[in-house]
Amino acid sequence: IKGKIAELGTQSYPTSLEDGYIEIPIKVTSESGKVKNYTLKIYSKDEILALESVKVNDEESEKLVDESYKSIIADDVNRSSVTATAKYPGIDIGINDSFKDSQTTTRTVLTTGDETTVSIPVETTIKVDGVEQTISKTYTLKIYKNKVFSMIQELSVNGEILEEENNTYYSYVASN
């Protein structure tokens, strides 16, 4: 394994998953001299459930921290096509409460409000000590209308929060 020769029987190889994934080449030589090569691929749970990409209307979404993504769309878009692709084959992936597809899924979501939240659940089945287990993770995509980022979120004068009235804010302060 990885160039280390073993005697007959079992060989162990200490390793870590610093990058969430490791490939270990294994070379087996029979007594007759015939050589057979294998590759052992080991993934962490976070790595095997990772997303390759999330797109809204064919535009790549911005990956934020943890399990979240962000996209900004035009103000007049009321339906958006969301495509999510898992990093590895054999991963089931869905959008909101839709049926899960294998590795890639595309669904149309309503984007009528200023902000739309989309849930992207991913899952797969693994074997642990010979027993099949389903592991899963859910990502969140926030779709914002462009105007959300061009609006005043909050305006205050001397600690008083002002209300907008027809794109105008009024404040009255006492003069000294």
Side-chain angles (χ1 to χ4, degrees):
I1 298 176
K2 280 209 163 190
K4 294 183 181 181
I5 298 174
E7 299 301 321
L8 291 177
T10 305
Q11 180 182 6
S12 63
Y13 177 79
T15 188
S16 67
L17 295 175
E18 291 175 12
D19 296 325
Y21 164 79
I22 190 168
E23 252 185 53
I24 301 172
I26 301 170
K27 180 178 176 181
V28 177
T29 307
S30 70
E31 289 180 3
S32 67
K34 185 178 177 186
V35 175
K36 179 103 181 195
N37 292 304
Y38 300 90
T39 302
L40 173 62
K41 296 179 180 182
I42 304 171
Y43 304 89
S44 69
K45 176 185 173 186
D46 285 340
E47 178 66 16
I48 196 71
L49 295 174
L51 295 179
E52 181 69 31
S53 68
V54 175
K55 294 181 179 180
V56 176
N57 301 327
D58 294 323
E59 296 288 327
E60 193 71 38
S61 297
E62 178 185 351
K63 173 121 173 64
L64 305 173
V65 294
D66 300 325
E67 291 88 35
S68 59
Y69 288 81
K70 175 179 93 171
S71 279
I72 300 171
I73 60 173
D75 296 339
D76 60 347
V77 176
N78 292 321
R79 292 182 178 272
S80 292
S81 173
V82 176
T83 300
T85 303
K87 194 170 182 179
Y88 300 102
I91 305 301
D92 294 328
I93 187 166
I95 292 176
N96 289 335
D97 293 325
S98 70
F99 175 78
K100 291 184 179 72
D101 296 315
S102 183
Q103 195 168 7
T104 298
T105 192
T106 300
R107 297 288 186 273
T108 300
V109 297
L110 290 176
T111 50
T112 53
D114 290 343
E115 177 183 320
T116 302
T117 301
V118 177
S119 173
I120 305 171
V122 294
E123 68 181 30
T124 194
T125 302
I126 61 170
K127 279 190 178 180
V128 177
D129 296 328
V131 178
E132 285 193 353
Q133 296 179 3
T134 298
I135 57 172
S136 62
K137 185 178 200 175
T138 300
Y139 294 86
T140 302
L141 165 65
K142 296 273 191 176
I143 303 172
Y144 299 98
K145 296 284 180 104
N146 194 37
K147 68 181 176 184
V148 170
F149 294 97
S150 63
M151 295 171 48
I152 295 175
Q153 300 298 315
E154 183 178 286
L155 182 62
S156 66
V157 175
N158 292 336
E160 179 186 346
I161 298 174
L162 306 178
E163 298 293 324
E164 177 193 357
E165 198 174 303
N166 296 324
N167 292 329
T168 303
Y169 292 85
Y170 297 95
S171 176
Y172 304 100
V173 293
S175 58
N176 289 337

